[in-house]
Amino acid sequence: MSSSPKIVRTVPALRAAIESLRSRKSTVALVPTMGALHDGHVSLVRLAKRRAARVVVSIFVNPTQFAPSEDFDSYPRTWKADLAKLAAEKVDLIWHPDVKAMYPDGFATRIVPEGPAIAGLEDRFRPHFFGGVATVVGKLFTQCRPDYGIFGEKDFQQLRVVARMAVDLDLGVKVIGARTVRERDGLAMSSRNVYLSPEERRVAAELYRAMKETRRRIKGGDDIQAAMSGGTALIEAAGFMLDYFEIRHAETLAPITSADDGPLRILVAAKLGRTRLIDNIAV
Ligand code: PAF
């Protein structure tokens, strides 16, 4: 039997709970999430447990990172199942504020990230996104004051943005990236995969195969641009509408011209029907 983690919904209650978690100078790791937890999130929690004595998971579907045309209202909310998963992992604390607790009346202060946040990848298609993410993660870090913040590599640009922000704003949090967890056929786990029809779900793993094939060609010495064009063709032939398929410097996300400009990362975003998928791999 697993006992239920403590759940707090207001900032004063959170402060008191964090104070008590830290009472024996315990280290604290925070896993920020929007709920709809899957095995990828569970792997973040397990990494957090290896790093710190205490683990806090936040569940907050953050309205400021969704454009009006996006899926804020329909974003999957699976509170009971999330709670069962976090209890099974013996998480110490769940921070589950409502929108008013996170953004009180008159809220007027935002973080505007630059550097990796304006690399011309996700920001080109979701210009509102990183401002919303940086603002809420900045708040989560100051609310929870964790020693570690754990983020999935699947949202690779987001990982680079929050890592940069933590350093730039002296937030005292070490940001740690966790490997992407994949389904058996290679599709990266994502809360939005539930939007895929059975036929789209079958095709979705082609994104990973195209990235792997492109990596194989680059590692084998092929011209980078030729390998990237080959990957683009594979993705489009599978039926995706491509937003971008790019190879970048893995730390700065700056464009690269040669395989020696590494470490390298291939990043992709593409729509399958109405579902937008993102993924990336190291080269
Ligand atoms: O990756 C996510 O789930 C969200 O962008 C995050 C980091 C929890 C901020 O809302």
Side-chain angles (χ1 to χ4, degrees), residues 32-34 41 58 60 62 65 75 129 133 136-137 140 151 155 158:
T33 81
M34 298 204 298
H41 295 110
S58 62
F60 178 65
N62 175 35
Q65 67 190 74
Y75 193 83
F129 181 68
V133 167
V136 81
V137 173
L140 290 168
F151 294 81
D155 295 280
Q158 168 175 279

Side-chain angles (χ1 to χ4, degrees), residues 5-236:
K6 186 175 173 66
I7 300 163
V8 288
R9 305 213 59 191
T10 66
V11 173
L14 174 69
R15 290 237 190 277
I18 296 275
E19 204 67 36
S20 135
L21 285 186
R22 284 197 174 279
S23 58
R24 287 197 200 89
K25 295 201 179 347
S26 296
T27 49
V28 173
L30 171 69
V31 182
T33 81
M34 298 204 298
L37 304 181
H38 49 67
D39 285 357
H41 295 110
V42 171
S43 82
L44 301 185
V45 169
R46 290 182 182 167
L47 178 58
K49 291 196 87 151
R50 291 199 294 278
R51 285 301 182 118
R54 302 295 192 180
V55 174
V56 180
V57 174
S58 62
I59 297 185
F60 178 65
V61 185
N62 175 35
T64 66
Q65 67 190 74
F66 290 79
S69 58
E70 292 182 346
D71 57 344
F72 175 71
D73 288 333
S74 59
Y75 193 83
R77 287 161 172 88
T78 56
W79 170 250
K80 277 196 178 148
D82 292 350
L83 193 53
K85 286 187 178 117
L86 297 179
E89 295 303 317
K90 297 190 169 46
V91 158
D92 295 285
L93 182 65
I94 301 177
W95 170 218
H96 185 43
D98 63 15
V99 173
K100 269 270 167 73
M102 187 60 86
Y103 298 112
D105 284 345
F107 183 85
T109 308
R110 288 169 60 85
I111 294 174
V112 181
E114 297 184 350
I118 51 170
L121 297 163
E122 280 303 284
D123 49 298
R124 219 158 24 103
F125 297 88
R126 307 184 70 198
H128 56 282
F129 181 68
F130 290 117
V133 167
T135 300
V136 81
V137 173
K139 283 177 66 79
L140 290 168
F141 282 173
T142 51
Q143 289 162 344
C144 301
R145 293 182 294 111
D147 301 281
Y148 303 99
I150 315 289
F151 294 81
E153 284 188 344
K154 186 190 149 262
D155 295 280
F156 197 76
Q157 190 177 3
Q158 168 175 279
L159 170 62
R160 295 268 70 91
V161 170
V162 294
R164 187 70 252 165
M165 176 181 74
V167 172
D168 289 351
L169 300 184
D170 301 314
L171 297 178
V173 183
K174 184 172 171 48
V175 170
I176 297 173
R179 285 168 75 101
T180 301
V181 179
R182 298 183 180 280
E183 304 285 358
R184 288 167 76 96
D185 63 358
L187 174 64
M189 287 194 185
S190 163
S191 305
R192 290 189 167 103
N193 289 352
V194 295
Y195 299 154
L196 295 166
S197 70
E199 173 55 16
E200 289 165 350
R201 172 63 194 82
R202 195 187 57 72
V203 171
E206 294 301 326
L207 218 46
Y208 182 52
R209 285 194 204 111
M211 286 194 297
K212 281 201 305 183
E213 170 59 12
T214 307
R215 173 172 65 189
R216 189 192 64 73
R217 287 184 58 179
I218 293 170
K219 283 186 163 250
D222 266 13
D223 173 71
I224 289 196
Q225 288 323 321
M228 292 302 289
S229 301
T232 300
L234 288 174
I235 293 166
E236 289 180 341

